[in-house]
Amino acid sequence: MNSPCYCNKLRTAARKVATVYDEALAPLGINIAQYSLLRIIERRQPASLTDVGRLAALERSTVGRNVRVLERMKLVAMGRGADQREAVVRLTPQGEEVLRAAAPVWQSCQRGLEDRLGTAHIETLTRLLESL
């Protein structure tokens, strides 16, 4: 079915793109959503779950569930912030290693999309998505 609904078209495109990244990252045991959270945590650590949620544009409860999965995978460690009320998360050495290994895989996916769409379409896509 070819829907004129913009939301449906964006969701379909997002699923297709995510599948490319997920398949490429699968040998490392993570998916693109987990990679993105790990990157946010890496840049902000120790990162509060609230900050991670804000940066990922996700609800804090969603971030909490996803971070607990990463914790079970031993990629992150949870702790308490300075005021003891806020949960914070940081990468474990294993999480750092997974990110190191995943970076060139992610870069390859990026280049693949750039090659498929071309520079002009990538620039247009970026501008359109940033305008939302």
Side-chain angles (χ1 to χ4, degrees):
M1 173 169 84
N2 190 10
S3 173
C5 176
Y6 302 125
C7 182
N8 187 48
K9 287 183 180 295
L10 278 169
R11 290 180 62 160
T12 299
R15 282 192 301 273
K16 288 178 181 179
V17 171
T19 297
V20 170
Y21 285 83
D22 287 346
E23 289 175 356
L25 291 166
L28 299 170
I30 61 172
N31 60 39
I32 189 60
Q34 292 166 332
Y35 175 82
S36 297
L37 280 179
L38 290 169
R39 275 286 183 225
I40 291 169
I41 293 164
E42 176 190 44
R43 290 183 186 118
R44 300 290 290 208
Q45 61 185 328
S48 74
L49 295 183
T50 301
D51 284 345
V52 173
R54 183 177 44 78
L55 293 167
L58 295 170
E59 302 238 350
R60 190 189 176 288
S61 60
T62 301
V63 170
R65 283 190 302 275
N66 292 337
V67 165
R68 281 190 284 286
V69 170
L70 295 173
E71 186 178 35
R72 283 193 301 275
M73 296 168 70
K74 303 195 183 323
L75 301 178
V76 300
M78 295 289 295
R80 288 280 160 211
D83 70 3
Q84 298 296 309
R85 290 178 294 172
E86 182 70 67
V88 296
V89 61
R90 60 176 70 241
L91 296 179
T92 63
Q94 186 175 340
E96 291 170 359
E97 180 54 37
V98 166
L99 272 182
R100 270 193 296 281
V105 174
W106 180 85
Q107 281 290 350
S108 178
C109 290
Q110 293 283 102
R111 282 191 304 277
L113 281 175
E114 291 165 356
D115 291 346
R116 182 171 179 181
L117 295 178
T119 303
H121 285 321
I122 286 290
E123 289 172 359
T124 300
L125 177 64
T126 300
R127 278 194 314 278
L128 288 170
L129 293 174
E130 287 173 352
S131 72
L132 294 176

